[in-house]
Amino acid sequence: HWMAIHASSTGEIAFHLIKALEIPLDQNIALPIYTSIVFDTHYFRYIRGSATPHLIVAELLRHDINPQKVHRHLFGNHTLNKLKYLAKILGLVEFECEGRLALIKIVKADLNKLGLHLDETRDIIDMVMNVESIEAAVLFREDAKDKFKVSFRSKGMFTVSELAQELGGGGHQFASGAYLKGSYNDLKDQVLSLFE
């Protein structure tokens, strides 16, 4: 078990381990590391103020990587059913703290009706964060009855990693999460009290 609290992503950690082991980079190694860094940092939004991810990617791009293809596979492959789901879920976003905090609830049964998987919800919180007035967002993803993965995002006003740690989770300063058990209403009240 190894932790690197200043790393932007697991890809960054893997890169440093591979370098320390003096393993030469090639396309088969560079591509998954690049993919991890792009995904975990959400297009370099969450890099903890470090130039390191950019420097790593500059080295990785010397190998035969197609960034457009990676980005398309990670972020640009919505189906019609995904679009229908987005239309529904975005209409149900709740706003708290004078409209600066958004709350999103994802119910597994709704996904099942459209033949969608849980991992197809990973970009919803980032869509909500693109709203100008919102400073933070919390996504409650129901993995099973009374079992939620709670994801936090912040533009900088709130240090959400501290909130996630209080709930037994962790992550980046402005992008973190936790796994929680309980009813949605109880967990929502708990999270709101932390933000207040």
Side-chain angles (χ1 to χ4, degrees):
H1 185 76
W2 188 52
M3 292 180 63
I5 61 171
H6 298 294
S8 66
S9 62
T10 53
E12 182 177 329
I13 295 170
F15 176 85
H16 291 306
L17 285 172
I18 287 166
K19 285 294 197 176
L21 294 170
E22 298 182 356
I23 298 170
L25 288 175
D26 60 18
Q27 183 193 29
N28 291 330
I29 295 173
L31 180 59
I33 293 175
Y34 175 83
T35 303
S36 170
I37 291 173
V38 168
F39 180 73
D40 284 355
T41 64
H42 295 266
Y43 288 118
F44 303 97
R45 290 178 189 164
Y46 308 111
I47 58 172
R48 300 188 174 190
S50 170
T52 304
H54 294 290
L55 295 171
I56 292 171
V57 165
E59 183 170 343
L60 297 174
L61 288 173
R62 293 185 187 133
H63 303 277
D64 190 18
I65 294 175
N66 183 336
Q68 292 81 9
K69 186 176 180 182
V70 172
H71 292 201
R72 188 170 62 251
H73 282 288
L74 285 177
F75 306 108
N77 56 355
H78 292 339
T79 62
L80 286 175
N81 280 352
K82 171 74 178 275
L83 191 62
K84 290 176 185 177
Y85 183 73
L86 287 174
K88 177 182 179 177
I89 198 72
L90 292 175
L92 297 174
V93 175
E94 298 177 67
F95 301 96
E96 300 286 347
C97 301
E98 299 171 348
R100 293 180 300 150
L101 174 65
L103 301 177
I104 310 143
K105 179 186 177 190
I106 290 175
V107 178
K108 196 173 183 181
D110 294 338
L111 296 171
N112 291 342
K113 286 178 191 172
L114 292 168
L116 299 174
H117 301 286
L118 286 173
D119 63 352
E120 292 181 84
T121 64
R122 64 182 185 232
D123 55 349
I124 293 172
I125 193 169
D126 297 305
M127 290 179 189
V128 172
M129 285 298 292
N130 286 330
V131 176
E132 185 179 5
S133 62
I134 291 175
E135 288 293 336
V138 183
L139 185 142
F140 296 84
R141 189 188 79 188
E142 180 193 58
D143 289 351
K145 181 171 173 49
D146 291 340
K147 291 183 180 178
F148 291 86
K149 179 185 182 207
V150 182
S151 300
F152 299 93
R153 294 287 184 278
S154 172
K155 290 180 181 173
M157 180 176 287
F158 304 105
T159 306
V160 292
S161 59
E162 293 174 3
L163 302 182
Q165 287 168 9
E166 284 195 46
L167 297 169
H172 298 239
Q173 193 174 7
F174 304 122
S176 56
Y179 287 93
L180 302 177
K181 292 181 181 180
S183 72
Y184 170 70
N185 287 333
D186 288 347
L187 296 178
K188 175 181 158 183
D189 290 344
Q190 187 178 1
V191 166
L192 282 174
S193 69
L194 289 173
F195 270 97
E196 288 168 5

